[in-house]
Amino acid sequence: VGIVSLIGMSELYKVFKVENKALGVTGYLAAIAYYAMLLLEKTEWMIPLTLLFLILVMAVYVFTYPIFTAEQVMAVFFGFFYVSVMLSYVYQTRMLAEGAVLVWLIFLSSWGCDTCAYCVGVLFGKHKMAPKLSPKKSIEGGMGGILGARRVGGQWYNFIKKKQPPEPAI
């Protein structure tokens, strides 16, 4: 997950043209430190890590001014959270009891939501959800996605429950 995070951050940083520059390297180092913190189970270091990362990003911005824009600085700072931290929840979920089942539930529900939203939206979509942001998304498709995720998640849950031995009667 850490490697996938670095690849994702690289893709995002390419959009803002900071992937191989000091600002982007600072983001990559923060991601590596974050995953090391997770592996060492030192989650209490999250706030100090965030503050240190902010200070480093601002230092790079100040000492290299005017090479980077404020938009690039914000992209690096929030890109770390949007890509690395959010993706780390797959790993953190996997580490829970029954984590493998939960990770599959997350992915299957997401795929079910997307598939059903698309199909319902194409077949029945009449009312636009956010025409300026995403002109082809409809309220009907959104509702179809919610119901599809519920259905797929419920089916997965029932499938897993049948594989486990029944609870002993008291």
Side-chain angles (χ1 to χ4, degrees):
V1 176
I3 292 169
V4 172
S5 291
L6 291 173
I7 293 169
M9 289 174 69
S10 173
E11 293 298 314
L12 178 66
Y13 291 173
K14 282 177 188 173
V15 171
F16 290 93
K17 297 176 178 46
V18 294
E19 73 277 7
N20 294 324
K21 298 180 180 162
L23 199 55
V25 170
T26 306
Y28 301 138
L29 290 175
I32 292 167
Y34 175 71
Y35 279 100
M37 176 192 74
L38 285 178
L39 286 173
L40 296 172
E41 297 180 1
K42 300 289 186 183
T43 54
E44 66 272 11
W45 294 356
M46 185 59 189
I47 293 174
L49 174 67
T50 301
L51 293 174
L52 178 63
F53 177 47
L54 178 61
I55 291 167
L56 287 174
V57 166
M58 293 309 295
V60 169
Y61 180 54
V62 168
F63 291 120
T64 61
Y65 186 81
I67 294 174
F68 300 110
T69 65
E71 182 182 59
Q72 290 171 316
V73 173
M74 295 305 254
V76 168
F77 186 72
F78 288 108
F80 163 71
F81 293 99
Y82 183 71
V83 178
S84 289
V85 174
M86 294 298 182
L87 198 54
S88 77
Y89 287 107
V90 172
Y91 165 77
Q92 293 180 61
T93 301
R94 176 62 183 93
M95 293 298 107
L96 297 172
E98 303 288 327
V101 172
L102 293 173
V103 168
W104 274 107
L105 178 65
I106 291 166
F107 282 106
L108 290 173
S109 294
S110 177
W111 293 328
C113 177
D114 287 349
T115 302
C116 291
Y118 175 77
C119 292
V120 170
V122 166
L123 294 172
F124 305 108
K126 300 264 186 276
H127 303 91
K128 300 294 180 190
M129 187 182 295
K132 290 191 184 226
L133 180 63
S134 188
K136 293 194 175 189
K137 287 197 171 61
S138 66
I139 294 172
E140 294 82 4
M143 297 305 292
I146 291 169
L147 295 174
R150 183 195 177 286
R151 177 73 176 166
V152 170
Q155 290 297 108
W156 177 247
Y157 178 78
N158 290 335
F159 173 75
I160 293 302
K161 280 298 185 186
K162 288 178 185 172
K163 292 233 177 218
Q164 296 177 356
E167 298 281 327
I170 297 177

